[in-house]
Amino acid sequence: DSGVTQTPKHLITATGQRVTLRCSPRSGDLSVYWYQQSLDQGLQFLIHYYNGEERAKGNILERFSAQQFPDLHSELNLSSLELGDSALYFCASSANIGITEAFFGQGTRLTVV
Amino acid sequence: ILNVEQSPQSLHVQEGDSTNFTCSFPSSNFYALHWYRWETAKSPEALFVMTLNGDEKKKGRISATLNTKEGYSYLYIKGSQPEDSATYLCAHHNTNAGKSTFGDGTTLTVKP
């Protein structure tokens, strides 16, 4: 158990809908990273938050947004869902930025039908 | 090198063989290099975080080296065991530090 909790584990939804994925980092970790793994692709960096502030963005679509709350949990919002958004979404947390180990949650499997 | 590249893509070895793989990354704006082990149906597990040129890290039979000037890192596994079978990922953090870029991984299969 990495100490990072992601909910839900599985999500099936229809095209055009909006979903929210939740990530609770390890106790004390200030950084939360979000990644997407689509079929037959590697881990794609989406966005990074540190202590409530956005630090870096990757190839995150405009239909996607995220935030980190004062209690440091983070949410990834995906809207106007398309079939191609079906993927495994991971979050990872670390104590600092880049120089400390990152711990991954178990992922949320999103299926858009 | 503009992206993070890992080679080989896959590797099949016999139990007891030693093996190594490469992670190549942009040498400019380097901040940190992470290695992960990713078993099927699990999530990536951190192995090493490397920040300084010439860094060498070791954990049991697994070790890693870092050359930031030429932009590469090697991961070595000594005396491979079947339980070492997994995909090994590297991730590069640039000086923005907040952004991490993963390679596609090297999938290792160790046959008993």
Side-chain angles (χ1 to χ4, degrees), chain B residues 54-71:
Chain B
D55 247 356
E56 291 187 24
K57 297 278 176 98
K58 187 175 180 182
K59 188 181 286 189
R61 294 178 292 97
I62 305 177
S63 60
T65 60
L66 179 68
N67 183 322
T68 60
K69 292 183 180 178
E70 295 183 38

Side-chain angles (χ1 to χ4, degrees), chain B residues 91-105:
Chain B
H92 168 264
H93 288 247
N94 63 11
T95 48
N96 179 15
K99 181 176 180 180
S100 70
T101 304
F102 275 83
D104 289 337

Side-chain angles (χ1 to χ4, degrees), chain B residues 11-89:
Chain B
L11 200 51
H12 295 255
V13 301
Q14 290 293 135
E15 182 175 354
D17 287 351
S18 292
T19 186
N20 65 86
F21 352 114
T22 305
C23 172
S24 301
F25 52 84
S27 55
S28 59
N29 302 320
F30 174 86
Y31 192 72
L33 193 283
H34 292 225
W35 280 101
Y36 295 88
R37 181 171 180 273
W38 194 0
E39 290 182 73
T40 304
K42 295 187 177 180
S43 44
E45 176 190 348
L47 287 173
F48 304 114
V49 178
M50 310 181 79
T51 57
L52 298 175
N53 185 44
D55 247 356
E56 291 187 24
K57 297 278 176 98
K58 187 175 180 182
K59 188 181 286 189
R61 294 178 292 97
I62 305 177
S63 60
T65 60
L66 179 68
N67 183 322
T68 60
K69 292 183 180 178
E70 295 183 38
Y72 65 84
S73 176
Y74 294 138
L75 188 79
Y76 301 91
I77 302 180
K78 184 177 177 182
S80 302
Q81 300 296 308
E83 56 265 32
D84 296 328
S85 297
T87 296
Y88 292 83
L89 298 170

Side-chain angles (χ1 to χ4, degrees), chain A residues 10-95:
Chain A
H10 301 277
L11 197 50
I12 302 174
T13 190
T15 54
Q17 295 299 304
R18 182 178 190 274
V19 297
T20 297
L21 312 184
R22 182 187 169 102
C23 172
S24 295
R26 288 190 330 149
S27 177
D29 283 356
L30 299 178
S31 272
V32 171
Y33 300 82
W34 285 98
Y35 299 94
Q36 178 193 56
Q37 188 201 16
S38 301
L39 191 63
D40 294 333
Q41 292 203 5
L43 285 170
Q44 301 297 315
F45 169 72
L46 294 177
I47 198 163
H48 171 222
Y49 278 85
Y50 178 77
N51 202 20
E53 292 189 5
E54 180 186 304
R55 273 298 294 232
K57 267 186 177 180
N59 298 324
I60 187 168
L61 299 171
E62 285 191 13
R63 299 184 285 108
F64 295 2
S65 65
Q67 54 184 325
Q68 187 179 28
F69 294 86
D71 67 352
L72 301 176
H73 91 271
S74 178
E75 293 181 356
L76 180 67
N77 301 297
L78 315 176
S79 61
S80 302
L81 285 167
E82 301 175 0
L83 295 177
D85 297 328
S86 296
L88 188 54
Y89 291 85
F90 283 106
C91 79
S93 77
S94 66

